[in-house]
């Protein structure tokens, strides 16, 4: 039976060491693309896909995330007094329905699989989504929504997928493709972070998943995998030959930015800046000028 997907897990326990010193006191997920934190993009995408329950797997030092999704009575009163209704409207996007959001802590950094597993009791016996906020995807139809629509046809388990350069496979979960149906592929194997010469393909897993609750049981039984961590990829791979299971890769339409890396974060900043009506002209002029200066210097 294919059920509606209404719960999503956001693993946000990572220390974000690649962005030190910024992440010494600010959670990585609060870092902004233009003026919106990474986590806001993830939440908006989940909402668009019909998600009603938002489960954050956090850790010590991440309480700024909880404050972000809380009401801010003093700030709101001040904006109201000053008649700044446009800003009040912007803040509205951060309001969550009472009880729609839950926070649990991952006490030890044992890997992505373990982080997801920490949410097992909140997920219960339902299919669930996982969104990795580091992977920001600009798309006309938000990526998870595309996946929910495809999943309504396939059931099983689905991961977002994208071709990456062969030499980059070591940074991703990689799919071993059984059948390539174009946008969808059926999967006969999954490997976490294989060396390029060992990778079964260059079709990489991107941080959007729709998973059967059975994956939670499998995570509980896993041994440590790549990098000495409990890997979500390994648990999903257990579902490949399960009756009513199966794993599908979904080539989404959209542009993915790796906001877990500095270069990716900067690229996303430029792309999202240029996509904004209020910034396009001024920022675009600046970029053109920079490129011309760069060319002239060569
Ligand atoms: C995680 C997953 C990996 C996936 C990647 C997508 O890795 O373990 O399978 O391909 O996200 O961004 P991480 O980037 O957390 O090392």
């Amino acid at each position: 039976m294919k059920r509606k997907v209404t719960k999503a897990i956001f693993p946000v326990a990572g220390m974000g060491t690649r962005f030190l010193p910024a992440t010494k006191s600010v959670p990585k997920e609060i870092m902004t693309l233009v003026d919106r934190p990474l986590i806001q993009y993830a939440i908006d995408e989940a909402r668009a896909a019909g998600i009603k329950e938002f489960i954050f797997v956090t850790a010590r030092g991440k309480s700024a995330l909880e404050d972000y999704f809380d009401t801010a009575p003093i700030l709101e009163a001040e904006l109201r007094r000053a008649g700044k209704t446009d800003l009040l409207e912007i803040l509205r996007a951060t309001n969550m329905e009472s009880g729609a959001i839950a926070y649990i802590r991952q006490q030890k950094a044992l890997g992505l699989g373990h982080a997801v597993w920490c949410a097992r009791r909140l997920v219960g016996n339902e299919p669930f989504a996982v969104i990795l906020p580091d992977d920001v995807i600009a798309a006309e139809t938000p990526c998870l929504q595309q996946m929910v629509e495809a999943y309504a046809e396939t059931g099983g388990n689905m991961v977002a997928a994208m071709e990456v350069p062969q030499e980059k496979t070591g940074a991703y979960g990689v799919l071993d493709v059984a059948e390539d149906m174009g946008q969808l592929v059926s999967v006969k194997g999954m490997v976490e972070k294989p060396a390029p010469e060992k990778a079964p393909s260059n079709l990489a897993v991107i941080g959007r998943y729709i998973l059967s609750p059975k994956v939670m049981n499998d995570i509980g039984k896993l041994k440590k995998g790549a990098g000495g961590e409990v890997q979500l990829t390994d648990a999903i791979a257990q579902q490949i030959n399960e009756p009513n299971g199966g794993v599908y890769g979904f080539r989404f339409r959209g542009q993915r930015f790796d906001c877990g890396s500095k270069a990716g974060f900067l690229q996303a900043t430029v792309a999202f800046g240029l996509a904004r009506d209020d910034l396009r002209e001024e920022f675009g002029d600046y970029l053109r000028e920079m490129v011309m200066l760069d060319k002239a210097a060569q």
Side-chain angles (χ1 to χ4, degrees):
M1 189 179 65
K2 288 169 229 150
R3 294 206 220 158
K4 262 184 92 117
V5 185
T6 60
K7 296 183 178 180
I9 300 174
F10 301 83
V12 290
M15 287 200 284
T17 47
R18 269 188 267 181
F19 285 90
L20 281 170
T23 46
K24 185 181 173 200
S25 65
V26 178
K28 179 176 62 170
E29 299 78 14
I30 295 286
M31 289 180 26
T32 53
L33 290 178
V34 190
D35 49 14
R36 291 150 57 82
L38 282 185
I39 195 65
Q40 183 72 56
Y41 292 91
I43 289 281
D44 289 351
E45 186 178 328
R47 278 189 178 134
I51 298 297
K52 303 280 183 247
E53 292 180 50
F54 304 82
I55 304 165
F56 283 65
V57 181
T58 73
R60 182 174 294 276
K62 294 281 184 152
S63 42
L65 278 166
E66 296 186 34
D67 291 341
Y68 180 77
F69 288 111
D70 202 353
T71 51
I74 297 172
L75 173 63
E76 285 164 26
E78 182 57 30
L79 293 175
R80 211 167 291 119
R81 194 193 55 76
K84 296 192 169 156
T85 44
D86 50 337
L87 294 181
L88 278 168
E89 195 50 45
I90 286 172
L91 278 189
R92 216 184 294 275
T94 65
N95 289 350
M96 303 295 281
E97 197 199 326
S98 294
I101 192 159
Y103 301 91
I104 43 172
R105 281 194 179 187
Q106 183 190 27
Q107 281 94 348
K108 285 187 188 163
L110 298 177
L112 177 61
H114 177 261
V116 167
W117 184 73
C118 287
R120 66 199 178 282
R121 295 205 175 88
L122 294 173
V123 161
N125 195 27
E126 287 181 39
F128 60 98
V130 178
I131 296 188
L132 308 187
D134 271 1
D135 282 331
V136 173
I137 300 174
E140 211 162 291
T141 305
C143 179
L144 191 64
Q145 187 182 340
Q146 296 176 35
M147 288 173 69
V148 162
E149 284 164 14
Y151 172 81
E153 302 297 321
T154 62
N157 298 270
M158 186 174 284
V159 299
M162 181 181 107
E163 263 82 19
V164 298
Q166 190 76 28
E167 68 272 15
K168 296 267 172 72
T169 56
Y172 297 95
V174 175
L175 302 180
D176 192 355
V177 175
E179 192 188 348
D180 195 332
M181 297 165 272
Q183 190 163 42
L184 267 184
V185 304
S186 66
V187 170
K188 64 176 179 202
M190 291 174 81
V191 194
E192 181 67 13
K193 303 197 167 77
E197 64 279 10
K198 293 206 171 130
S201 75
N202 69 335
L203 191 56
V205 176
I206 300 302
R208 303 288 183 277
Y209 307 77
I210 299 176
L211 302 175
S212 147
K214 287 190 233 153
V215 170
M216 289 290 191
N217 300 334
D218 291 336
I219 300 175
K221 294 184 218 145
L222 280 182
K223 298 203 181 72
K224 287 179 182 167
E229 297 191 335
V230 178
Q231 295 293 352
L232 183 60
T233 300
D234 296 343
I236 301 170
Q238 306 275 315
Q239 288 300 310
I240 290 172
N241 297 316
E242 281 288 303
N244 306 320
V247 177
Y248 298 91
F250 180 80
R251 289 190 183 97
F252 54 93
R253 291 176 302 277
Q255 191 180 2
R256 175 258 186 176
F257 296 94
D258 174 12
C259 290
S261 80
K262 284 173 211 175
F265 204 103
L266 288 171
Q267 287 160 15
T269 300
V270 172
F272 281 79
L274 288 176
R276 283 270 294 256
D277 290 342
D278 56 336
L279 294 170
R280 188 176 302 118
E281 203 180 316
E282 189 182 344
F283 188 44
D285 285 349
Y286 170 75
L287 287 177
R288 273 184 288 277
E289 209 176 289
M290 292 284 285
V291 171
M292 277 190 306
L293 284 177
D294 195 44
K295 274 199 185 135
Q298 280 168 16

